[in-house]
Amino acid sequence: MILTVTLNTALDITYRVRSLRPHASHRVTEVTERPGGKGLNVARVLAALGHEVTVTGFVGGATGHALQEQLLGAERISDALVPVHGSTRRTVAVVDTSTGDTTQLNEPGPSIAPAEWAAFQEAYEDLLGSASAVALCGSLPPGVPVGAYGTLIRTARSASVPVLLDTSGEPLRRGIAARPDIVKPNADELAELTGSHEPLQAMKDTRRRGAHAVVASLGAEGLCALTPDGAWRAPAPDRLSGNPTGAGDSAVAGLLSAQAEKLPWPDRLARAVALSAATVVSPVAGEFDRKTYDDLVTRVTVSERAGAA
């Protein structure tokens, strides 16, 4: 099974309005709720691709109860979330259907006590015993040490479980020093980490800091990757409009699923790009449009880049 870690889980609420205007009252035309947080979005896409997934992280309060209720009966997804005293956060995405733009509102999450962090680490170590890979995803809730991902990466490496890290800021910086197998920043996160706005140079610097392989999301431009096997660029074949929330999480699912199937890097990137684009046209984060994916995955062109050494 593949293990996804979402320390700051959320109940994702999506509102659709005809036109979003500041300082105005709006009539919501559609409301959806889904278990959320980056790792849960990754898990949902992995399950849709046919992989068995276990989700873990923190969950608590009435919002956490609602999240777990929606996980009940989810095909191929097992719930190993760790209970805490505080309440799971909510995120609200407001989609303007006239433009396709999305406005995101994210709560900070519950404050985690030292004993709760210790309980999670114990549960995580147990779960690694049956994991083929682990994804560490998203922000840290208050109370969790800023070096938490570094600790979890070292634990996974001790268990010989490949680990992918998808976070930002200081948790990303400290996590990279623990030598994850893959990191998946976006262009802004790469620039913040390295000071370079040139993706290839920034990825080289990220590898020097400890990452085994770097896959960078470039938004509508697709993905680029720097790995021990070479460097590649995988642009999206079409520019699609819609809700970009969760597109990066679908890319992570594509990378993990293709790794589990032992596909070469160009095929991993093609799958990740196609899934990311197919998520943009889906109305809800953590889901992708299957028809769009099936069409795009055969048309993504992955080219090798020179000067990767």
Side-chain angles (χ1 to χ4, degrees), residues 108-151:
S111 183
I112 305 301
E116 292 169 334
W117 171 233
F120 171 80
Q121 290 181 82
E122 184 176 342
Y124 171 74
E125 190 168 356
D126 289 343
L127 289 166
L128 287 173
S130 54
S132 59
V134 58
L136 307 175
C137 303
S139 62
L140 301 178
V144 172
V146 71
Y149 282 136
T151 300

Side-chain angles (χ1 to χ4, degrees), residues 247-258:
D249 305 331
S250 290
V252 168
L255 294 170
L256 281 174
S257 63

Side-chain angles (χ1 to χ4, degrees), residues 204-296:
K204 287 180 180 179
D205 185 59
T206 302
R207 285 202 69 211
R208 283 193 293 267
R209 292 166 183 256
H212 191 64
V214 185
V215 180
S217 295
L218 304 179
E221 302 301 318
L223 298 176
C224 58
L226 183 61
T227 81
D229 299 329
W232 289 274
R233 179 71 185 274
D238 299 328
R239 287 185 176 271
L240 302 173
S241 62
N243 181 3
T245 306
D249 305 331
S250 290
V252 168
L255 294 170
L256 281 174
S257 63
Q259 179 186 40
E261 296 166 29
K262 303 187 186 305
L263 298 182
W265 270 105
D267 291 341
R268 298 187 201 184
L269 296 173
R271 178 178 294 183
V273 167
L275 280 170
S276 182
T279 298
V280 170
V281 300
S282 175
V284 180
E287 296 181 1
F288 65 95
D289 184 82
R290 175 69 71 167
K291 183 177 179 181
T292 301
Y293 167 71
D294 290 341
D295 170 56
L296 292 179

Side-chain angles (χ1 to χ4, degrees), residues 33-48:
E33 286 188 356
R34 293 287 189 278
K38 293 178 73 65
L40 284 166
N41 292 337
V42 171
R44 199 154 42 237
V45 175
L46 283 168

Side-chain angles (χ1 to χ4, degrees), residues 14-21 23-31 93-98:
T14 302
Y15 293 149
R16 300 179 73 84
V17 299
R18 290 189 175 87
S19 178
L20 182 61
R21 304 180 309 281
H23 316 299
S25 178
H26 297 80
R27 185 176 296 278
V28 176
T29 60
E30 182 182 350
V31 181
V94 183
V95 180
D96 183 328
T97 58
S98 67

